[in-house]
Amino acid sequence: MKPIFENDWADILHPEMQKPYYLELRRKLADEYRSRTVYPDMYRIFSAFHLTSFADTRVVILGQDPYHGPNQAHGLSFSVQPGIQVPPSLDNIYRELQDDLGCQPVRHGFLEHWAKQGVLLLNNVLTVRRGAAASHQGMGWEAFTDAAIAAINECETPVVFILWGRSAQEKGSFIDGTRHLILKSAHPSPRSADRGFFGSRPFSRTNAFLREKGLSEINWCLPESPEGLKEEGETTT
């Protein structure tokens, strides 16, 4: 079997893929992709790990599960493919980014610019059925992404964890807040953004922490035109 991860995530995640729960998840996913419409495309499930290596991870933004509309999800939390309308939650993220750092909102929702700087855009669950949010919860992805978060938590270099909403905050229960920075707020969804997301200033607070630790800051301002998508060769198996 061709290795899925060709960077340093391989040492962490390949062993995880040999565990019984993941083998069962793999079986279920094969059936789901064969019989239903599932997002993202199977060749983009692990895009977050391919674009942001373990060693380069400086920030983690944790989402719940992929967007469930056509052509939206491509393996990065909150990001959509070029040419797709910016979703409401991401539109609210752009509003907060403008208020926080003065970055002008862009007309696309493609966040690879962040991922390539060390922002791991990770969902708790990495796949979803078309039109059915949270439809792949409980299949086993949670244990897999727990393993990734646990590995980052053990890093000696401090990392910023941005946890929006209850689901993400539950995921952060085992993160060491004495070494890493944990930023919690309401989810940017229109249903909750007014309850603590707006005004939380996650972007400037992240950069202030990185600067204090002698680490490079993130350039959060996105380019006006989305960068080209790379063809990816990973599979779900």
Side-chain angles (χ1 to χ4, degrees):
M1 183 178 70
K2 180 182 177 181
I4 293 176
F5 304 103
E6 297 181 353
N7 59 17
D8 53 3
W9 280 111
D11 291 338
I12 297 164
L13 298 179
H14 281 159
E16 200 69 18
M17 289 176 162
Q18 308 308 312
K19 295 182 178 180
Y21 85 85
Y22 188 87
L23 297 176
E24 177 63 14
L25 169 62
R26 173 183 168 183
R27 185 194 64 77
K28 292 177 181 177
L29 286 175
D31 181 65
E32 287 278 305
Y33 273 93
R34 182 171 53 249
S35 61
R36 301 174 182 269
T37 300
V38 176
Y39 302 126
D41 180 280
M42 68 173 65
Y43 295 107
R44 299 195 183 280
I45 291 175
F46 300 108
S47 292
F49 298 109
H50 289 292
L51 289 168
T52 309
S53 71
F54 177 73
D56 288 341
T57 299
R58 290 180 285 156
V59 181
V60 178
I61 296 181
L62 188 61
Q64 179 173 308
D65 61 350
Y67 296 116
H68 53 81
N71 300 316
Q72 290 181 305
H74 63 106
L76 304 181
S77 63
F78 296 101
S79 180
V80 293
Q81 298 190 64
I84 301 300
Q85 183 177 356
V86 176
S89 292
L90 183 54
D91 186 59
N92 284 338
I93 291 171
Y94 286 174
R95 285 179 56 190
E96 178 63 19
L97 179 58
Q98 183 176 26
D99 289 344
D100 190 8
L101 292 178
C103 297
Q104 292 299 313
V106 293
R107 295 183 180 181
H108 64 84
F110 190 56
L111 304 181
E112 219 179 73
H113 177 70
W114 292 355
K116 289 180 176 179
Q117 297 180 74
V119 181
L120 184 67
L121 296 167
L122 182 65
N123 279 312
N124 187 28
V125 174
L126 301 188
T127 55
V128 68
R129 291 179 193 160
R130 177 176 180 169
S135 51
H136 282 185
Q137 286 187 3
M139 286 178 57
W141 279 128
E142 294 88 346
F144 183 79
T145 51
D146 274 355
I149 295 293
I152 297 169
N153 181 57
E154 294 300 316
C155 290
E156 293 185 8
T157 302
V159 173
V160 181
F161 292 85
I162 298 177
L163 309 178
W164 291 327
R166 184 175 60 184
S167 175
Q169 290 168 22
E170 290 174 353
K171 190 84 164 180
S173 61
F174 53 84
I175 298 170
D176 182 359
T178 65
R179 182 165 70 254
H180 307 296
L181 177 64
I182 305 173
L183 299 179
K184 299 180 181 179
S185 77
H187 194 276
S189 164
R191 297 189 300 272
S192 57
D194 287 325
R195 299 199 296 269
F197 174 74
F198 290 131
S200 61
R201 300 175 58 245
F203 308 103
S204 62
R205 292 167 69 192
T206 292
N207 278 354
F209 178 81
L210 294 174
R211 187 167 57 247
E212 176 189 333
K213 300 299 182 182
L215 303 171
S216 299
E217 300 177 29
I218 304 298
N219 175 13
W220 294 104
C221 296
L222 293 162
E224 292 184 8
S225 298
E227 303 168 44
L229 282 169
K230 294 192 301 182
E231 293 297 323
E232 306 214 35
E234 70 273 22
T235 67
T236 60
T237 57

